[in-house]
């Protein structure tokens, strides 16, 4: 698999990386929290604008790595940034969710606003770096660096009484994941040195030098452990419900649920760099995806707190993504990537609604709710639209991705497609169950004087629903962005499998 690199005369990706980081540093020196909020808002808006400019100038339907910046390598490590059809969509998505999270800070954070904003912007910078990193070691550095602001957000701005325990639990899991990922990446770099005479973490170089099948299998399982924790997948998911319930209602939850870094890494690194192992063991990831989907949906169905519902819903949705990605065909991977984008918007959007509810009534427990549509019709409509997109209603962002996942899964094995269908039914069950009890029916005493969305919340709701209908009704630009890279990966997997079969046949002939 040969990927060309298109360099840019202006280091636009470096600006995207360092702008929120510099803004976070400046925020820590400020004393005026109102001024700090304005600075964070301005920096986030500039970041989104620049991300949209990059997307507008991105050449679609090709597999090339674009806007490339490279310094080094030194000892096999290089400052190497770039975006292709796989990573491009996550850059504006990260910037958009960050802007909305910063915007909502004025309503949701009551103490040390500048510290919260600094942590939020630092978190954004690490996510941007991870999506733009072409060097595997730099990806790992951003993965680890993300733990600092995320841990601070949980412990210092969490809303639960057990937030410190949740933060410690999160840290343990993520350190285990980062250790596994580092070991896997080092093995890739070392084996590249054996094959090509050069120790390298460079993604482009690693693609040029495929590894022996046995070596691929070892690295496959090591990396799968790390990325399955981050995704998360059953049974490595137990850190997430605690974090999403005990941590900040919006800030970190938007990133964890909205930015699918773990799933992205499966498509970015595991499938293209270890194609033979991915083809041999696809069934294992498909099983984990199916179990995650059914288990997460069934547990979500019996929850009463909206934040826990969304935590297990995220686990369930991740199962759908994995069934798409490990179909290992064009439609499946295309649908899996589109579902990552959709679930990023819908998952983050529902956590915003959870934040709207929390600021009015505390924990959004369905047993204390009822009849909210009467008092807050705009909030109810927002929740309904975002939830229907999560189900995959035609016209919304969820439909085309889920349709493509089902096509790809059926092409691989009909049982995989069956589980995608079961997942859709279960998603409708827990979402409509919560909507009926919380927003319909008689008014509960706790919500008798409930207020509808104010101006800032209306802007956030309109932005999210607008994106949902944009993706749902005009999916072509998003598909064109990813198609070239997806085709290249599909062809690379097919070539790797054919080469493995030829090598095996040759070995049997010699014997």
């Amino acid at each position: 698999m040969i990927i060309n690199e298109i360099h840019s005369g202006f280091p636009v990706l470096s600006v995207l990386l360092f702008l929120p980081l510099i803004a976070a540093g400046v925020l820590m020196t400020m004393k005026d929290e109102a001024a700090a909020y304005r600075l964070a808002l301005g920096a986030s808006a500039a970041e989104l604008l620049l991300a949209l400019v990059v997307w507008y100038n991105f050449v679609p339907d090709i597999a090339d790595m674009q806007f490339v910046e490279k310094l080094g390598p030194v000892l096999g490590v290089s400052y190497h940034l770039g975006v292709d059809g796989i990573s491009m969509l996550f850059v504006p998505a990260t910037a958009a969710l960050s802007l909305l999270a910063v915007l909502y800070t004025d309503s949701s954070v009551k103490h040390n606003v500048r510290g919260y904003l600094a942590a939020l912007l630092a978190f954004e910078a690490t996510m941007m770096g991870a999506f733009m990193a072409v060097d595997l070691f730099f990806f790992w550095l951003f993965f680890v660096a993300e733990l600092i602001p995320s841990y601070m957000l949980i412990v210092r701005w969490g809303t639960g009484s057990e937030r410190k325990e949740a933060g410690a639990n999160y840290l343990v899991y993520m350190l285990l994941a980062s250790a596994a990922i580092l070991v896997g990446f080092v093995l890739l770099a070392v084996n590249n040195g054996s094959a090509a005479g050069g120790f390298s973490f460079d993604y482009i170089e690693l693609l040029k030098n495929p590894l022996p099948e046995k070596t691929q299998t070892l690295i496959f399982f090591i990396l799968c452990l790390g990325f399955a924790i981050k995704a998360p997948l059953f049974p490595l998911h137990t850190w997430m419900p605690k974090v999403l319930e005990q941590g900040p209602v919006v800030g970190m939850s938007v990133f964890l649920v909205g930015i699918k870094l773990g799933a992205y890494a499966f498509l970015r690194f595991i499938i293209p760099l270890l194609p033979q192992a991915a083809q041999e063991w696809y069934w294992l990831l498909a099983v984990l995806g199916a179990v995650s989907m059914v288990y997460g949906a069934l547990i979500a169905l019996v929850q009463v707190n909206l934040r826990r519902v969304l935590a297990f819903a995220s686990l369930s949705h991740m199962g759908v993504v994995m069934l798409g990605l490990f179909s290992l065909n064009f439609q499946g991977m295309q649908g899996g990537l589109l579902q990552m984008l959709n679930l990023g918007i819908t998952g983050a959007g529902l956590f915003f609604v959870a934040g709207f509810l929390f600021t009015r009534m505390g924990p959004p427990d369905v047993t204390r709710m009822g009849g909210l549509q009467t008092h807050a019709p705009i909030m109810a409509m927002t929740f309904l639209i975002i939830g229907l997109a999560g189900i995959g209603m035609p016209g919304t962002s969820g439909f085309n991705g889920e349709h493509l996942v089902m096509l790809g899964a059926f092409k691989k094995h009909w049982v995989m497609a069956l589980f995608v269908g079961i997942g859709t039914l279960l998603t409708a069950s827990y979402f409509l169950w919560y909507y009926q009890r919380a927003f319909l029916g008689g008014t509960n005493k706790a919500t008798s004087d409930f207020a509808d969305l104010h101006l800032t919340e209306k802007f956030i709701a309109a932005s999210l629903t607008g994106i949902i209908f944009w993706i749902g009704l005009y999916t072509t630009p998003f598909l064109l962005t990813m198609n070239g890279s997806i085709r290249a990966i599909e062809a690379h997997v097919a070539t790797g499998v054919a080469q493995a079969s030829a090598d095996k046949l040759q070995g049997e002939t010699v014997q």
Side-chain angles (χ1 to χ4, degrees), residues 294-485:
V294 174
Y295 170 82
L298 291 176
I299 299 299
L301 193 57
V302 298
Q303 301 301 309
V304 294
N305 185 300
L306 180 57
R307 294 165 72 177
R308 290 186 63 83
V309 172
L310 298 180
F312 287 103
S314 180
L315 173 65
S316 181
H317 289 148
M318 187 54 59
V320 177
V321 170
M322 297 307 292
L323 285 169
L325 296 184
F326 280 88
S327 298
L328 299 179
N329 54 53
F330 181 67
Q331 290 90 350
M333 290 188 285
Q334 191 184 36
L337 187 55
L338 193 59
Q339 274 296 80
M340 280 189 251
L341 180 64
N342 167 58
L343 298 175
I345 302 301
T346 57
L350 290 174
F351 260 99
F352 272 110
V353 175
F356 302 159
L357 292 168
F358 187 87
T359 56
R360 289 162 170 78
M361 59 173 293
D365 191 322
V366 74
T367 60
R368 301 172 53 231
M369 301 163 70
L372 292 185
Q373 187 174 8
T374 303
H375 303 284
I378 299 176
M379 185 190 298
M381 181 60 67
T382 301
F383 185 85
L384 180 61
I385 291 172
I386 297 174
L388 290 176
I391 295 172
M393 183 66 65
T396 67
S397 57
F399 176 73
N400 290 316
E402 197 161 284
H403 176 68
L404 287 167
V405 167
M406 186 164 289
L407 285 176
F410 185 80
K411 187 176 179 181
K412 190 69 174 179
H413 198 290
W414 67 269
V415 174
M416 293 170 63
L418 176 64
F419 273 96
V420 175
I422 291 172
T424 302
L425 292 175
L426 291 174
T427 299
S429 298
Y430 64 73
F431 167 74
L432 294 175
W433 172 87
Y434 192 94
Y435 179 78
Q436 180 182 16
R437 295 186 65 186
F439 291 92
L440 303 180
T443 301
N444 193 295
K445 182 179 179 180
T447 57
S448 57
D449 57 349
F450 208 81
D452 207 349
L453 304 184
H454 57 65
L455 184 60
T456 299
E457 294 170 336
K458 287 178 182 177
F459 177 81
I460 294 171
S463 300
L464 292 167
T465 54
I467 294 171
I468 283 171
F469 287 121
W470 177 22
I471 298 175
L473 298 175
Y474 189 46
T475 317
T476 301
F478 302 92
L479 295 177
L480 284 177
T481 297
M482 68 177 73
N483 281 353
S485 295

Side-chain angles (χ1 to χ4, degrees), residues 68 107 145 216 224 284 336 345 354 378 396 406:
V68 172
S107 303
Q216 284 192 30
C224 280
L284 177 60
I345 302 301
I378 299 176
T396 67
M406 186 164 289

